[in-house]
C-alpha cells in the first residue's frame, strides 16, 4: 500500500494547500476550506486505491464532499477488478482536514496546512464530532507524562525527560476561555506558554521535532483533528493522548448547549464508545499496521513553509511520514503551471 500511495498523497495535500493559499488573507474561511476540499477530492479520485473517508468534512447530509463514508479513488468503481491490481483493491481508511486552520488561512496567520492520514480499513479511530482533551510531547517523554496527571506534574516529568529546567519549556495552548485555568497553572509551574488561535495538529506534531521550540501541547481541541495528530505521532514515536470531552459545561458552544452530559454519554454509547472517560493513546487512535501521514503548509508554520506563488508557478513544502519505511520526508516542490520565467534554487 505504501510505496506508490506515499508519493501520490503528497500531491493530494499539495493541491489542497495551493488551492487554499490562493485565498490566503481574503477573510473568507468557508471559501478557503471549500476550494481545499474540492482540490483534495479531485486529486484523490485520480489515485488507484479503494479509499473511504472516516474523518472528513462532516456527515453526508451536512457536507457535499469528503463527507464521512464517501468512497474515493479509482478502485472504488464497480468494475475496478478489471483495471486495478490486488494491492490497489485493499480497502483503506482516510482521515482528511483539507484546510486545518481555516481562520489562519483566511487571515494570513501562520500554521494553516492541508493534512491527511491513511491506514488500512479499521486502522483509524472513527472519532465522533466531539471535543478532545489532548496531551502531546516528545518521544523521550512518551508514556511518562500522562493526561491524567496535572499540568504541573507533567511539566516536571517533561523537564526531567528533556534534561532542562521547567522555564526552558514551551507549551502550546489554544487561546480559549476554557483554558484560562490551565494557562495559569502552566505559568505558575514556570513554563512558558505559546498561545495559538487555531491549528493544534501542527502544534501536536511539532512536539516530536527538536528545534521547533514546542515541547508540549495541552488543552482541548476537536477530536477528529486529534486522530490525525495521533497518526503522525504514532509514526514518529511521540507522545499523544486524547480523552473525549462530553460535559457540555467544559466547552460551551451553540451546539453543546443542545446536549446534556447524560445525552452525550448516550450518544457516545450509540457509537460504540462505552467508556466515555477512556484515555486513548496514539497507538489506539491510529492502530493500523500501516499508517501514513501527509501535510502541506498553506501558510508558514513551525514545520513547513507556506505556499509561495511566483510567475508561472508555486512552491510548496510538505511532510510525509510513514511507519512502514520509518521516514519523515520533507518534500520541497516547484509546481510549474505555465513556463516560468526562472526558477529559484
Ligand atoms: C480545534 C482545533 C483545530 O479548530 O478544532 C479548533 O483542533 C476548534 O476549536 O486545530 P473551537 O471550537 O474552540 O474554535 C482548530 O484550531 C482549527 O480547525
Amino acid at each position: 500500500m505504501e510505496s506508490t500511495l506515499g508519493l501520490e498523497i503528497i500531491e493530494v495535500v499539495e493541491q489542497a494547500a495551493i488551492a487554499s493559499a490562493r485565498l490566503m488573507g481574503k477573510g473568507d474561511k468557508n471559501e478557503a476550506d471549500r476550494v481545499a476540499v474540492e482540490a483534495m477530492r479531485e486529486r484523490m479520485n485520480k489515485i488507484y486505491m479503494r479509499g473511504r473517508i472516516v474523518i472528513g468534512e462532516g456527515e453526508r447530509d451536512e457536507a457535499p464532499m469528503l463527507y464521512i463514508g464517501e468512497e474515493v479513488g479509482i478502485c472504488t468503481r464497480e468494475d475496478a477488478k478489471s483495471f486495478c491490481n490486488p494491492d490497489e483493491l485493499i480497502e483503506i481508511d482516510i482521515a482528511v482536514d483539507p484546510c486545518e486552520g481555516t481562520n489562519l488561512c483566511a487571515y494570513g496567520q501562520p500554521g494553516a496546512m492541508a493534512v491527511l492520514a491513511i491506514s488500512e480499513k479499521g486502522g483509524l479511530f472513527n472519532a465522533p464530532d466531539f471535543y478532545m482533551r489532548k496531551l502531546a510531547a516528545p518521544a523521550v517523554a512518551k508514556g511518562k507524562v500522562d493526561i491524567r496527571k496535572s499540568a504541573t506534574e507533567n511539566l516536571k516529568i517533561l523537564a526531567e525527560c528533556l534534561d532542562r529546567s521547567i522555564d526552558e519549556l514551551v507549551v502550546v495552548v489554544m487561546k480559549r476561555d476554557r483554558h484560562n485555568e490551565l494557562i495559569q497553572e502552566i505559568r505558575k509551574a514556570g513554563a512558558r506558554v505559546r498561545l495559538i488561535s487555531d491549528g493544534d495538529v501542527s502544534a501536536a506534531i511539532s512536539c516530536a521535532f527538536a528545534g521547533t521550540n514546542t515541547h508540549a501541547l495541552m488543552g482541548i481541541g476537536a477530536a477528529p483533528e486529534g486522530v490525525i495528530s495521533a497518526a503522525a505521532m504514532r509514526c514518529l514515536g511521540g507522545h499523544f493522548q486524547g480523552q473525549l470531552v462530553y460535559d457540555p459545561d467544559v466547552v460551551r458552544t451553540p451546539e453543546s448547549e443542545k446536549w446534556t452530559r447524560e445525552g452525550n454519554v448516550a450518544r457516545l454509547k450509540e457509537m460504540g464508545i462505552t467508556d466515555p472517560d477512556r484515555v486513548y493513546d496514539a497507538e489506539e487512535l491510529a492502530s493500523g499496521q500501516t499508517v501514513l501521514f501527509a501535510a502541506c503548509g498553506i501558510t508558514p508554520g513551525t514545520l513547513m513553509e507556506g505556499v509561495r506563488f511566483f510567475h508561472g508557478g508555486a512552491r510548496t513544502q510538505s511532510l510525509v511520514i510513514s511507519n512502514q519505511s520509518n521516514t519523515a520526508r520533507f518534500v520541497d516542490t516547484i509546481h510549474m503551471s505555465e513556463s516560468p520565467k526562472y526558477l529559484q534554487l
Side-chain angles (χ1 to χ4, degrees):
M1 153 173 158
E2 198 237 335
S3 51
T4 49
L5 250 192
L7 287 172
E8 302 233 48
I9 59 170
I10 299 175
E11 291 191 9
V12 171
V13 288
E14 284 175 350
Q15 289 310 315
I18 291 171
S20 228
R22 288 194 194 284
L23 291 166
M24 190 205 87
K26 302 273 186 187
D28 188 345
K29 68 174 200 159
N30 293 334
E31 191 58 8
D33 191 47
R34 193 190 64 76
V35 294
V37 170
E38 208 173 70
M40 182 174 267
R41 181 170 180 264
E42 194 183 318
R43 183 61 188 88
M44 259 183 185
N45 276 325
K46 290 182 185 153
I47 305 179
Y48 281 81
M49 65 173 181
R50 197 166 158 207
R52 187 172 58 108
I53 302 296
V54 291
I55 285 177
E57 291 295 292
E59 297 296 333
R60 190 182 193 141
D61 52 354
E62 63 195 34
M65 286 185 202
L66 299 183
Y67 54 83
I68 297 167
E70 183 175 354
E71 297 197 327
V72 287
I74 297 177
C75 305
T76 55
R77 292 187 200 159
E78 261 180 28
D79 53 346
K81 279 203 181 102
S82 59
F83 52 84
C84 295
N85 69 41
D87 258 10
E88 295 160 347
L89 285 166
I90 297 170
E91 289 178 274
I92 57 175
D93 282 354
I94 308 176
V96 299
D97 197 349
C99 182
E100 150 66 0
T102 47
N103 276 315
L104 301 174
C105 177
Y107 298 109
Q109 300 295 308
M113 60 191 202
V115 60
L116 61 78
I118 294 185
S119 189
E120 71 271 6
K121 192 177 178 183
L124 298 170
F125 180 63
N126 296 358
D129 193 11
F130 272 61
Y131 281 90
M132 181 183 260
R133 183 169 287 108
K134 306 175 188 179
L135 175 64
V140 280
K142 187 174 168 61
K144 295 183 175 134
V145 288
D146 193 316
I147 203 165
R148 285 161 284 221
K149 292 179 178 151
S150 69
T152 312
E153 270 180 274
N154 280 327
L155 288 168
K156 276 188 200 145
I157 298 168
L158 192 53
E160 254 171 56
C161 293
L162 287 168
D163 191 22
R164 61 179 71 195
S165 60
I166 295 184
D167 59 7
E168 287 162 343
L169 297 175
V170 176
V171 183
V172 178
V173 181
M174 280 210 293
K175 191 173 184 324
R176 296 290 188 278
D177 286 344
R178 61 178 178 263
H179 294 146
N180 286 348
E181 277 177 30
L182 172 67
I183 293 165
Q184 269 183 10
E185 184 184 344
I186 298 169
R187 287 177 177 155
K188 196 160 166 249
R192 290 160 306 139
V193 179
R194 187 154 67 82
L195 289 173
I196 55 168
S197 61
D198 278 297
D200 70 354
V201 176
S202 164
I205 302 168
S206 295
C207 296
F209 290 90
T212 57
N213 203 26
T214 303
H215 307 108
L217 165 80
M218 294 183 182
I220 298 170
E225 279 89 338
V227 175
I228 296 179
S229 305
M233 292 302 261
R234 148 101 196 266
C235 300
L236 296 167
H239 180 95
F240 188 90
Q241 285 173 302
Q243 189 178 34
L244 295 171
V245 175
Y246 56 87
D247 184 344
D249 287 338
V250 175
V251 188
R252 292 211 154 274
T253 64
E255 175 62 24
S256 75
E257 305 274 302
K258 296 184 205 154
W259 299 95
T260 60
R261 202 169 179 276
E262 294 68 35
N264 279 335
V265 172
R267 276 162 81 202
L268 289 175
K269 205 168 175 184
E270 258 171 49
M271 298 169 198
I273 299 169
T274 48
D275 176 7
D277 292 307
R278 179 159 169 190
V279 171
Y280 298 88
D281 60 20
E283 287 68 22
E284 287 163 326
L285 295 171
S287 61
Q289 207 186 332
T290 303
V291 178
L292 269 170
F293 167 93
C296 180
I298 299 172
T299 57
T302 27
L303 292 168
M304 289 161 287
E305 286 291 346
V307 179
R308 288 139 294 158
F309 294 104
F310 54 86
H311 177 92
R315 188 160 190 156
T316 56
Q317 204 186 11
S318 308
L319 169 60
V320 188
I321 310 173
S322 156
N323 79 330
Q324 291 302 294
S325 56
N326 278 318
T327 49
R329 288 196 172 93
F330 286 90
V331 181
D332 187 8
T333 310
I334 296 176
H335 306 258
M336 292 168 277
S337 48
E338 51 184 272
S339 34
K341 285 195 175 134
Y342 67 94
L343 293 175
Q344 185 84 42
L345 244 196

